[in-house]
Amino acid sequence: GLLPSESSPAEIPQSVPMNLREFWKATRNLGGPKHYFTTDLRNLPELRAHVPSIQKFIISEEGGGHAANIWMGGENITAHMHYDESHNLFVQVYGRKRFLLLPPEAHNDFALFPHIHPSQRSVQLSSTSGTELPKPFVNNSKYSVYAIELGPGDVLYIPPFWFHQVTSLDESISLNVWSESKDASQFVLMTEIPLPFESEWPLPKMMMALKTYLRSLSEVVVGKSATNKLLRHLVDSRFAPVYGKSTCGSLCNDMDHEWGRELQAGFSQHPYFIQLTNLFRSLDDKEGIKELTLLAFIETACFYSIEP
């Protein structure tokens, strides 16, 4: 993969075909673009045969899946701040890497890319280097920030939904094993629950129903007083920077329409809504995880309900 330049971290990396010798030569070309390589170990059976059993690195939660991957690249390559929904056991094989970790609740001070964006789960505000935090977190004592350096033979566990930024300090080879978390599995189940709308509804009615349903869900998950703030942050921090100036619009406003209030009362007793709220109640109680899952669900519901 060809990394974007440091001046434009939001660009999507490009794939460049080359053999291993060409790859390492390219990584040492300090004046050229930066390169890294990653793939599932199953795609490299000859290498996989030399890797000891990964079974002890798998974290099983209700039969979730897992994947083992290899990462290779030159020095001073940074994977900007992002979070994964899986358990992550990261093994440093060669060279050194530096990690910055923040807890899930840090999302309140981050501008994430929208969930439907190719860079979903990544932070729009990137740091200037792998040894510095994004600007909102400089001298910020609200969160515990962990700076960790890995050398050959070191293993780091990154819990699901924890933000992390990774920088290679040398030429580097790493392995990691992702294990699907229970909360990620629950999100998949959430998206499989039908929305109680009628396909023949006109767009204005569909929009009102969608707003009512999602606001009702948010009030159950985070409380009524926090709902407006959460939805405003969703629109203003994720969509406005990417798609231009935006306002929160009607999604951030309380129910001010009689029909909307009637819908809200009906939805609260609907079997689909009850099933959905029960899944949210089963999520990890750690601060930030429910909010991140809720925001991802809201974006997904909006996209698939009103797409052309």
Side-chain angles (χ1 to χ4, degrees):
L2 181 65
L3 280 179
S5 67
E6 289 296 325
S7 61
S8 53
E11 294 177 6
I12 305 302
Q14 303 172 3
S15 294
V16 179
M18 59 180 65
N19 61 36
L20 189 60
R21 184 184 300 274
E22 292 170 334
F23 170 78
W24 285 115
K25 182 178 179 180
T27 64
R28 292 161 185 160
N29 180 10
L30 300 181
K34 296 181 178 180
H35 294 73
Y36 79 98
F37 173 79
T38 182
T39 190
D40 191 305
L41 279 177
R42 289 174 295 187
N43 297 325
L44 301 172
E46 292 183 0
L47 176 61
R48 178 67 182 87
H50 293 279
V51 177
S53 172
I54 63 170
Q55 193 62 39
K56 62 183 177 182
F57 293 102
I58 296 173
I59 299 174
S60 298
E61 287 190 341
E62 299 182 0
H66 67 274
N69 309 276
I70 185 170
W71 307 81
M72 300 191 300
E75 63 178 324
N76 294 325
I77 291 180
T78 295
H80 292 279
M81 194 70 73
H82 65 286
Y83 74 90
D84 300 307
E85 298 166 336
S86 301
H87 299 276
N88 186 358
L89 275 167
F90 195 94
V91 182
Q92 189 64 18
V93 178
Y94 176 78
R96 296 171 300 142
K97 281 188 173 176
R98 178 181 173 84
F99 286 74
L100 292 174
L101 280 79
L102 293 99
E105 61 265 29
H107 79 88
N108 290 304
D109 289 300
F110 274 143
L112 294 170
F113 282 99
H115 189 68
I116 58 174
H117 191 277
S119 296
Q120 61 164 298
R121 295 183 282 102
S122 294
V123 173
Q124 296 180 42
L125 297 175
S126 65
S127 67
T128 55
S129 76
T131 59
E132 297 178 10
L133 283 172
K135 291 180 180 179
F137 297 92
V138 177
N139 298 323
N140 188 333
S141 61
K142 284 199 298 183
Y143 311 110
S144 296
V145 180
Y146 300 90
I148 302 163
E149 183 176 310
L150 297 187
D154 290 337
V155 180
L156 175 65
Y157 169 63
I158 305 174
F161 295 90
W162 272 67
F163 288 93
H164 51 286
Q165 178 169 287
V166 190
T167 297
S168 57
L169 304 179
D170 310 300
E171 290 183 354
S172 174
I173 300 175
S174 314
L175 300 174
N176 89 299
V177 177
W178 277 313
S179 301
E180 185 178 17
S181 68
K182 179 176 73 74
D183 293 334
S185 301
Q186 297 294 71
F187 178 75
V188 173
L189 295 177
M190 293 173 189
T191 60
E192 293 174 348
I193 298 173
L195 297 172
F197 307 152
E198 301 295 336
S199 59
E200 65 271 13
W201 283 354
L203 183 59
K205 184 174 182 177
M206 181 70 77
M207 293 287 286
M208 174 63 79
L210 183 62
K211 167 189 173 178
T212 304
Y213 193 76
L214 296 177
R215 285 193 58 87
S216 300
L217 175 64
S218 180
E219 290 176 6
V220 170
V221 177
V222 301
K224 188 171 183 178
S225 61
T227 288
N228 283 351
K229 181 180 178 182
L230 185 77
L231 296 178
R232 185 170 299 280
H233 180 67
L234 166 66
V235 175
D236 291 346
S237 70
R238 297 193 186 189
F239 287 88
V242 175
Y243 299 109
K245 184 174 175 59
S246 174
T247 58
C248 192
S250 62
L251 186 64
C252 300
N253 300 326
D254 291 324
M255 291 293 116
D256 54 1
H257 191 284
E258 183 176 349
W259 185 67
R261 289 191 290 271
E262 291 176 359
L263 270 177
Q264 189 174 33
F267 285 150
S268 66
Q269 302 301 317
H270 197 285
Y272 291 157
F273 185 81
I274 294 173
Q275 184 181 0
L276 183 60
T277 55
N278 285 339
L279 285 173
F280 268 99
R281 290 189 179 99
S282 72
L283 295 178
D284 195 311
D285 286 333
K286 292 186 178 66
E287 187 176 353
I289 293 180
K290 285 186 178 180
E291 289 90 340
L292 285 168
T293 306
L294 174 62
L295 293 171
F297 181 86
I298 289 173
E299 288 192 57
T300 303
C302 288
F303 178 76
Y304 287 107
S305 297
I306 60 177
E307 65 174 340

